[in-house]
Amino acid sequence: MSPSPTGEVLISSERLAGRVTELGAQISRDYADKDLVMVGVLRGAVVFIADLLRSLDVACEIDFMAVSSYGSSRDSSGVVRILKDLDDSITGRDVLIVEDIVDSGLTLNYLMRNLRARDPASLEVCALLTKPERRRVDVPIRYTGFEIPNTFVVGYGLDHAQQYRHLAHVAELPEDVDPGSGTR
Ligand code: 5GP
C-alpha cells in the first residue's frame, strides 16, 4: 500500500466508501419499519455518521453525545464522563450508536448501559473499526465496518492530538509518534 503524510494507508477512501454503502443498505433493510435514531459519538464518528446517513434510504434522525474516558487515548480506563448529552429523549425509539472505533470496548460498554437505562425500544451498535485483539469487555457490535490489527490509526474523523481527522483514508500513525498523548 502507498505511504501517506502520516503512516501506511490501512484503508483507502474507496474501500471506506464501498463499505459505508454496504452498511447503509443493511441498516436500511433492518430499520425499514422502525423509528431509527442514530447517535453519533463525538468527535471521531462525525465523518462516518455523515457518510452513513447519506447512504440510508429510511427515515432517520441523528443526535450526538460527547464522552471523555479517563486515561490516555491509547488505554481508556472505563471511567467515562459525559461532556455532552443527547438533545432528545430516546425512550421507545430504535437507537443505533455510531462509533468510530471500538478498542477495549470499555467506552461503548458504559454508553450502552447508560442509554439502555433510558428505555429505548432497541439499542444496537455500528462501529466503523474494531480491534478485536484489544477487547477487555465483550460488547455486541451489530454492524462492523472493518476489523483492524492492534495499531493506532488516524484519518476519516479519527485524530491524534486533534490532527489528521481530515484524511479521506485511515492510516497508521508513523512509528516515531507516541499515540499516548491523543484525545477523542
Ligand atoms: P475503548 O473504550 O474501546 O478502549 O476506546 C474507544 C475510544 O478510544 C475510541 O472511540 C477512540 O476515541 C479511542 N481510540 C481507540 N483506538 C484508537 C485508534 O487507533 N485511533 C484513534 N484515533 N483513537 C482510538
Side-chain angles (χ1 to χ4, degrees):
M1 281 196 236
S2 61
S4 74
T6 55
E8 202 68 12
V9 175
L10 206 63
I11 310 170
S12 68
S13 61
E14 292 78 16
R15 283 180 70 207
L16 286 165
R19 187 69 188 121
V20 170
T21 301
E22 287 172 5
L23 289 172
Q26 204 182 338
I27 292 167
S28 298
R29 279 196 300 277
D30 294 350
Y31 286 85
D33 303 314
K34 305 256 174 116
D35 180 20
L36 176 61
V37 186
M38 294 206 297
V39 170
V41 185
L42 297 172
R43 297 173 227 179
V46 163
V47 176
F48 178 40
I49 198 173
D51 283 345
L52 190 60
L53 184 65
R54 287 176 288 182
S55 73
L56 295 182
D57 57 13
V58 284
C60 168
E61 291 182 20
I62 55 169
D63 205 339
F64 292 95
M65 274 182 97
V67 297
S68 88
S69 73
Y70 293 99
S72 69
S73 69
R74 186 77 227 228
D75 290 294
S76 79
S77 61
V79 182
V80 176
R81 192 160 53 108
I82 295 181
L83 302 177
K84 184 217 167 294
D85 207 341
L86 297 176
D87 287 334
D88 299 324
S89 166
I90 53 166
T91 304
R93 310 203 61 188
D94 295 294
V95 175
L96 181 62
I97 300 175
V98 179
E99 256 287 26
D100 52 359
I101 183 163
V102 183
D103 188 38
S104 68
L106 292 168
T107 306
L108 189 55
N109 186 51
Y110 169 86
L111 264 182
M112 290 198 79
R113 278 190 285 126
N114 183 291
L115 295 186
R116 200 173 283 121
R118 307 181 196 195
D119 285 327
S122 64
L123 182 63
E124 304 288 353
V125 176
C126 176
L128 177 68
L129 305 173
T130 161
K131 295 184 203 170
E133 276 174 59
R134 298 256 309 165
R135 201 71 89 250
R136 286 168 58 194
V137 51
D138 195 27
V139 278
I141 306 177
R142 174 91 177 262
Y143 309 96
T144 301
F146 300 90
E147 288 193 356
I148 62 167
N150 179 11
T151 179
F152 194 86
V153 294
V154 295
Y156 198 68
L158 287 125
D159 77 311
H160 175 256
Q162 299 304 335
Q163 294 300 305
Y164 310 120
R165 294 192 197 274
H166 65 288
L167 297 175
H169 56 265
V170 171
E172 290 186 40
L173 264 195
E175 281 178 7
D176 55 349
V177 178
D178 170 18
S181 56
T183 51
R184 275 196 75 86

